[in-house]
Structures are given as C-alpha cells and as structure tokens.
C-alpha cells in the first residue's frame, strides 16, 4: 500500500509555477526532504517545507504515507526552489501546436504574415478523404489557401516546402490517466487539451 502511494504522480512546477514535469510522490518527497522543492497546497497555494509538511496530519479520507512514527500527507504539487527550466511542450494535436511546428510560416509560399493571416490547410482536402492529423495539416496563408482550394498540392500545382510530421516534443504527461484534479489550477486546460475536430 505504501509503495503504491509512493508511485502516485506529483506535478512539478518550476520557480515561476509553470509545470515542468511529473514525478513520483517518492521523488517529490526526496526533493522536499533535501530542500530542492516545496509542497504547494493546491487549495490555498500555501507552500510547505519538509519541516512544515511533515507536521501536518493527513485529512480524513485522503491518502497518506505510514512512516514509522507518523503519517505523512501525499503531495500533489511541488515547486522547485532553484530551477528555471521552461515547461516541455506537449504534442497534442492542436491549432496552437501546428502554428508552433510550422513556425508561423505558410508551408507553400513561406510568408510569415502573422497568426491571424494564417489558416490550417488540409494537404489532402477533407472533401477527398483527407484527415485532421499531424501529417495532413499545415499552415497556409490566406492567399495560398484560397488558391489551393479543395485540391491536393499536385492538383493545384503547388508544392509543400516540407512534409508535415508529428513533432518530436517530449510530452509532459505520458498518459491522461495520471492527471490529478487539482493540477488543473496550474495547467491550463485549454493549452493542454484542445484537440482539433476531425
Ligand atoms: Zn502562402
């Protein structure tokens, strides 16, 4: 039972409270113990050092760690005391991430007209069975999108500057099943979860 609790995930924030990682409770407690992290209470945003945290009794019904002489509360969120790394990007298939992958650049003519002048183009048009996937969606400027219309690049006599691929960014969460409700206060749902309609 203790081992299982120690393997629960803890959200790790950098000093600016941006999520950078997910660690096991065991690792989070080690960081707390050696003062490289503090626990953040997601309910009131209070921060706790090891000394403060270890004096708190677990609340009724919440998971705890049974140590030799005490019961320890299980941290859900910790913040690193000396760490400025920026958050790792996730590869969720979202509008934002397509813009990022394609560097705000039209993948046909190479212009960078600014976000509002860019559209998401289905390389093989949906009308011809094209899917909304990393490998079939690219940024296109309004002019290129209009010119291409409901045709493939070949049909339109246009050429992609490079083949679209799924970006190789390290996802923050390996699986949504490890997410904990209180994390949503620190991780924008819109940012992480928006998936484009198929
Ligand atoms: Zn263009």
């Amino acid at each position: 039972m203790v081992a299982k609790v120690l393997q629960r995930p803890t959200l790790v924030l950098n000093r600016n409270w941006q999520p950078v990682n997910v660690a096991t409770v065991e690792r989070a407690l080690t960081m707390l113990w050696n003062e490289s992290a503090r626990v953040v209470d997601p309910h009131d945003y209070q921060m706790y050092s090891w000394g403060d945290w270890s004096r708190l009794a677990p609340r009724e019904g919440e998971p705890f760690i049974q140590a030799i002489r005490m019961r320890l509360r299980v941290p859900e969120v910790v913040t690193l005391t000396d760490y400025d790394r920026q958050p790792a990007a996730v590869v969720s298939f979202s509008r934002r991430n397509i813009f990022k992958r394609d560097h705000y650049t039209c993948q046909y003519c190479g212009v960078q007209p600014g976000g509002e002048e860019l559209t998401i183009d289905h390389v093989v048009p949906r009308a011809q069975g094209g899917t909304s996937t990393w490998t079939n969606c690219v940024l296109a400027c309004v002019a290129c999108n209009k010119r291409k219309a409901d045709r493939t690049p070949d049909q339109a006599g246009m050429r992609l500057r490079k083949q679209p691929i799924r970006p190789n960014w390290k996802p923050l969460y390996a699986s949504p099943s490890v997410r904990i409700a209180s994390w949503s206060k620190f991780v924008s749902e819109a940012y992480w979860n928006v998936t484009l309609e198929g």
Side-chain angles (χ1 to χ4, degrees):
M1 197 60 197
V2 171
K4 210 172 170 190
V5 172
L6 289 174
Q7 292 313 307
R8 278 166 58 109
T10 307
L11 184 65
V12 181
L13 310 176
N14 69 10
R15 285 200 300 187
N16 303 322
W17 286 37
Q18 295 170 298
V20 289
N21 205 352
V22 174
T24 60
V25 164
E26 184 172 24
R27 172 84 188 122
L29 288 173
T30 304
M31 293 190 295
L32 185 63
W33 168 255
N34 67 28
E35 297 183 341
S36 57
R38 278 178 285 180
V39 176
V40 179
D41 186 326
H43 302 287
D44 56 13
Y45 303 105
Q46 279 252 46
M47 304 222 292
Y48 297 89
S49 66
W50 167 262
D52 302 329
W53 186 255
S54 59
R55 276 194 288 274
L56 295 178
R59 294 179 189 138
E60 189 71 29
E62 83 175 11
F64 58 86
I65 295 154
Q66 181 72 62
I68 295 170
R69 285 178 306 152
M70 59 183 176
R71 286 180 165 186
L72 207 53
R73 293 186 65 196
V74 174
E76 294 185 349
V77 180
V78 297
T79 176
L80 299 168
T81 50
D82 187 26
Y83 196 63
D84 293 322
R85 194 180 85 181
Q86 291 302 302
V90 288
V91 270
S92 66
F93 180 68
S94 63
R95 178 172 291 272
R96 179 171 179 155
N97 284 339
I98 291 175
F99 275 69
K100 191 171 163 182
R101 182 198 63 183
D102 290 350
H103 306 291
Y104 287 76
T105 305
C106 172
Q107 295 301 293
Y108 294 102
C109 72
V111 297
Q112 295 186 311
E116 284 171 23
E117 298 295 316
L118 287 164
T119 60
I120 291 175
D121 170 63
H122 285 72
V123 178
V124 175
R126 279 190 278 198
Q128 297 188 34
T131 52
S132 293
T133 54
W134 279 116
T135 52
N136 194 49
C137 288
V138 296
L139 287 186
C141 70
V142 173
C144 286
N145 203 327
K146 206 165 168 185
R147 186 177 142 207
K148 183 171 174 279
D150 267 350
R151 298 177 294 177
T152 65
D154 270 353
Q155 291 164 349
M158 295 167 73
R159 249 180 53 159
L160 276 170
R161 296 164 71 84
K162 58 176 187 276
Q163 278 306 312
I165 54 163
R166 171 184 291 275
N168 195 21
W169 306 324
K170 183 169 167 272
L172 182 55
Y173 310 113
S175 138
S177 65
V178 302
R179 299 196 52 183
I180 289 180
S182 64
W183 292 2
S184 62
K185 293 184 174 176
F186 304 91
V187 182
S188 151
E189 291 300 317
Y191 182 83
W192 302 109
N193 285 339
V194 167
T195 318
L196 297 174
E197 294 298 315

